[in-house]
Amino acid sequence: MIERYKTPEMDHIWSEYNKYDMWREVEVTVVEVLADMGVVPSEAAKIIREKADFTVERILEIEETTRHDVIAFLTCMAEYIGEESRFVHMGMTSSDLLDTALALQCKSAGEIILQKLITFRDVLRKKAVKHRETFQMGRSHGIHAEPITFGVKLALWSEEFGRHIHRWEEALSTISTGMISGAVGTYQHLDPEVEAETCRRLNLQAASVSNQVIQRDRHAHFMTTLALISASLEKIAVEIRHMQRTEVLEAEEFFSKGQKGSSAMPHKRNPITTEQISGMARLLRGNAHVALENVALWHERDISHSSVERVIIPDSTTLMDYM
């Protein structure tokens, strides 16, 4: 069902092809850093950059045997590279690749959402000025109180989304973190300088401390911020839904030419968009709860978070983009 809400940009970010393309970029960047440090022959690094390739179909075919997605990916890429592939993934562990690439995807998705948040905040501000003298009833407990203006309501919403922009910028900064620290974060086969330089070239910050994974409080921050933004979107949606009720009818959703409200009652103009937003907010809150449960992993890591994140992060960013 999430498919119908995907924009082309968000669909590309979470596509299987782009996932593996991010994996390729992380692996090749590490090789190039090692070459610059004199660990890998520079000619080998050039060949790897030129020849590193894959097909999704071949990776999935190999994975049928290996039952390990990273090994399947590396095997596929080695088929294109040839002998120099022995320098790929040298000293790394799977999570170095997976978590750093996931950070790149989250950053890309988050930047799309950030721009839409800014646009939405600005639209609300302009509408607040436009409706500064558009009077309506104020209500408390759902009962008529004193007259207010619709502009005040819009101004409240615009300020709320101004705060969300700051929260989201912080969440984006937190999630944009990579690591190249090897098995259980020991740096046994890689110098920490490799991690720092690789992350710099990928426009990420390097984790100050890691074990075998990027710590999942970062991802929980990302997801709970999405849930908080969705709560404010639902707040607006519920208000519009109430104002569109036949007994109130102070405002209503746009209704396009040819749009239908009911298969049985053609007079109806239902607030379907705001009802969708209310429903999607529930999904985002649920996904945020799961992200919080992902924070507690066993010892240096387990993979109980992995299968979950393959669903909740693409779905949540896709839904927020749509909302």
Side-chain angles (χ1 to χ4, degrees), residues 203-229:
N203 293 314
L204 299 173
Q205 60 188 347
S208 55
V209 181
S210 64
N211 45 26
Q212 191 150 326
V213 293
I214 296 290
Q215 302 306 290
R216 258 46 198 178
D217 65 289
R218 296 180 182 274
H219 303 74
H221 182 191
F222 187 80
M223 295 291 292
T224 53
T225 305
L226 283 175
L228 185 55
I229 295 168

Side-chain angles (χ1 to χ4, degrees), residues 237-251:
V238 167
E239 185 70 14
I240 293 170
R241 287 166 61 192
H242 172 77
M243 288 192 291
Q244 189 165 334
R245 290 172 60 198
T246 306
E247 308 93 293
V248 179
L249 207 56
E250 291 179 340

Side-chain angles (χ1 to χ4, degrees), residues 18 65 84 91 94 96 114 124 133 149 175-176 206 219 252 263 271 292 309:
N18 189 59
T65 300
E84 287 77 12
S94 294
D96 289 331
L114 177 61
L124 289 170
E133 295 182 1
T149 69
I175 201 67
S176 299
H219 303 74
E252 61 182 338
S263 62
L292 290 168
E309 288 174 354

Side-chain angles (χ1 to χ4, degrees), residues 2 10 14 308-319:
I2 299 299
M10 196 64 77
W14 297 114
V308 176
E309 288 174 354
R310 293 174 193 226
V311 176
I312 64 171
I313 296 179
D315 281 8
S316 293
T317 52
T318 296
L319 288 172

